[in-house]
Amino acid sequence: MTAAPQFVSSAREIRNDWTTAEVEALFAMPFNDLLFKAQTVHRAHFDPNEVQVSTLLSIKTGACPEDCKYCPQSARYDTGLEKERLMEVEKVIERAKEAKAAGSTRFCMGAAWRNPKERDMPYVTRLISEVKKLGLETCMTLGMLSREQATALKQAGLDYYNHNLDTSPEYYGDIITTRTYQDRLNTLDNVRHAGMNVCSGGIVGMGESGKDRAGLLIALANLPQQPESVPINMLVKVEGTPLDNVDDLEPFEFIRTIAVARIMMPASHVRLSAGREDMNEQMQALCFMAGANSIFYGCKLLTTSNPDTHEDVRLFKKLGINTERTRDYSDEAHAQTLHEEIAERNTADLFYDATKTPAAHI
């Protein structure tokens, strides 16, 4: 009778000392046993029937100088993608309002930069301030950051900064040569030093080995502080990129990766990210059972496709899943904005219930 409480207790433990042998042993578990363990860990930290919902918007598309082999935004590859200038602030805010109306609690903005220039900082800090006024959590992905830039983003009110490690340290050089793994770790350190939440994950299905998938999760879990958000992307192959003909990753291996990420990073939101459009409902449901509890709403992730919002609403209704409400606010101004909205509107209208399909999408 004492075994179950002991297991739950161990499920709540957060470790930063995972070894390759331990993680490979998790990947090798029988599938049902692995999902049961992951679901037990998940329930020790989260409501199993809530999923955090974000919206991702490209505020500057294409012409990136990096050579990431998976990315259609690289200026080095002919993918037919037309570069776009920075979006006007007013257009970004309009998209943020649409995202909130659709049920998103976090609005993520991405720019195809190696790193932001100083001339860009007033623009991005204004975006942060304006989106925060809507009562949304804010996230940005702008490439590498200096410590001073990270501090400026934090002072503007940025809640999360996304900077993926992409793959294992050993496989990284086969995918990217224009920045090092240490460059990425340095940016994460600068984000932490500024006091922001970290969003960092990777991409699987890029031709890496199982050991590399384990290595990616070890690199993330063994950071001094584990990321609050861990996006796990399935490669979306884009014609013209060096990875457009790589073999597909076996679906059960992807689900195993989600489950192992949940076990290793029990308190993190594990995001079922790019590649969902090619996953059927059953595969996505298994990913949620394996511990995924975050997605992106919307028909596009930067430049690659994503399921339409109404498809996600329909799936959530089938599974009895609700969108997670924003719980933590990084400053008093954000909290005050929410209090003002609550005073003006009924709370039931303010927060979106995924089990109720919006009439606009029927």
Side-chain angles (χ1 to χ4, degrees):
M1 298 296 293
T2 59
Q6 289 175 354
F7 189 80
V8 171
S9 176
S10 64
R12 295 191 65 86
E13 180 184 358
I14 296 176
R15 294 176 47 195
N16 306 90
D17 60 351
W18 290 92
T19 67
T20 300
E22 287 178 310
V23 178
E24 289 183 336
L26 288 175
F27 272 100
M29 289 179 67
F31 186 74
N32 286 342
D33 292 347
L34 177 62
L35 259 62
F36 179 78
K37 184 176 180 67
Q39 179 65 198
T40 302
V41 171
H42 186 55
R43 287 170 180 268
H45 288 266
F46 294 98
D47 182 331
N49 296 310
E50 280 190 351
V51 171
Q52 188 276 326
V53 175
S54 301
T55 293
L56 176 61
L57 175 68
S58 178
I59 59 175
K60 188 270 179 185
T61 303
C64 180
E66 306 283 12
D67 68 351
C68 308
K69 289 184 178 180
Y70 54 80
C71 186
Q73 299 205 65
S74 173
R76 299 164 186 256
Y77 313 132
D78 183 11
T79 62
L81 181 72
E82 294 187 9
K83 64 180 181 180
E84 299 175 2
R85 298 170 63 95
L86 278 169
M87 289 185 69
E88 297 175 1
V89 172
E90 291 73 17
K91 291 183 178 180
V92 175
I93 301 309
E94 187 60 33
R95 294 291 295 275
K97 291 178 179 178
E98 294 171 358
K100 182 178 180 181
S104 291
T105 58
R106 187 179 306 163
F107 192 69
C108 306
M109 296 159 276
W113 290 328
R114 175 177 170 82
N115 55 275
K117 303 294 190 296
E118 289 310 306
R119 66 174 181 269
D120 302 316
M121 294 303 291
Y123 167 78
V124 297
T125 54
R126 183 184 171 194
L127 285 181
I128 295 165
S129 176
E130 293 298 319
V131 172
K132 293 273 288 185
K133 291 178 182 177
L134 301 177
L136 288 164
E137 291 179 331
T138 53
C139 179
M140 281 192 161
T141 178
L142 311 171
M144 295 183 291
L145 291 182
S146 68
R147 185 153 291 191
E148 293 74 21
Q149 288 173 327
T151 298
L153 295 180
K154 169 62 177 177
Q155 291 175 343
L158 189 64
D159 297 297
Y160 287 80
Y161 193 78
N162 167 258
H163 200 63
N164 290 337
L165 295 182
D166 283 351
T167 188
S168 70
E170 294 76 18
Y171 193 60
Y172 182 83
D174 293 339
I175 302 298
I176 303 157
T177 66
T178 48
R179 74 175 79 170
T180 68
Y181 214 75
Q182 189 59 49
D183 287 333
R184 292 182 180 268
L185 293 173
N186 290 344
T187 289
L188 295 183
D189 183 63
N190 291 337
V191 170
R192 281 291 185 212
H193 186 268
M196 283 185 287
N197 295 309
V198 166
C199 174
S200 186
I203 307 170
V204 297
M206 298 192 294
E208 76 283 347
S209 67
K211 188 171 184 177
D212 289 314
R213 287 187 286 278
L216 166 65
L217 298 182
I218 290 170
L220 292 165
N222 287 356
L223 288 169
Q225 182 178 347
Q226 294 182 351
E228 283 77 15
S229 184
V230 180
I232 304 296
N233 299 270
M234 176 80 86
L235 175 69
V236 177
K237 291 181 281 189
V238 178
E239 185 176 356
T241 63
L243 298 181
D244 61 0
N245 287 315
V246 70
D247 290 339
D248 291 338
L249 184 67
E250 210 281 327
F252 283 111
E253 187 65 18
F254 181 83
I255 299 167
R256 285 181 180 275
T257 305
I258 294 287
V260 175
R262 166 53 63 217
I263 293 166
M264 295 174 66
M265 292 170 277
S268 304
H269 279 82
V270 176
R271 178 175 296 135
L272 183 57
S273 199
R276 281 200 306 121
E277 188 182 41
D278 293 327
M279 301 177 192
N280 61 26
E281 290 184 339
Q282 292 77 14
M283 181 176 175
Q284 291 187 63
L286 282 173
C287 286
F288 293 133
M289 181 177 286
N293 63 337
S294 178
I295 65 164
F296 279 119
Y297 261 172
C299 61
K300 184 176 285 190
L301 299 183
L302 296 181
T303 62
T304 57
S305 56
N306 196 49
D308 288 335
T309 301
H310 73 274
E311 294 179 7
D312 291 324
V313 171
R314 187 182 301 118
L315 177 58
F316 278 18
K317 185 174 182 179
K318 289 180 180 179
L319 300 179
I321 287 176
N322 281 302
T323 56
E324 181 182 274
R325 299 181 182 185
T326 303
R327 293 189 176 93
D328 299 313
Y329 312 108
S330 61
D331 55 38
E332 294 180 359
H334 189 194
Q336 182 60 35
T337 299
L338 290 183
H339 286 310
E340 290 173 357
E341 289 198 40
I342 291 171
E344 294 174 2
R345 299 166 55 185
N346 184 282
T347 304
D349 295 329
L350 179 62
F351 293 116
Y352 175 80
D353 184 349
T355 64
K356 298 178 180 178
T357 305
H361 298 303
I362 298 299

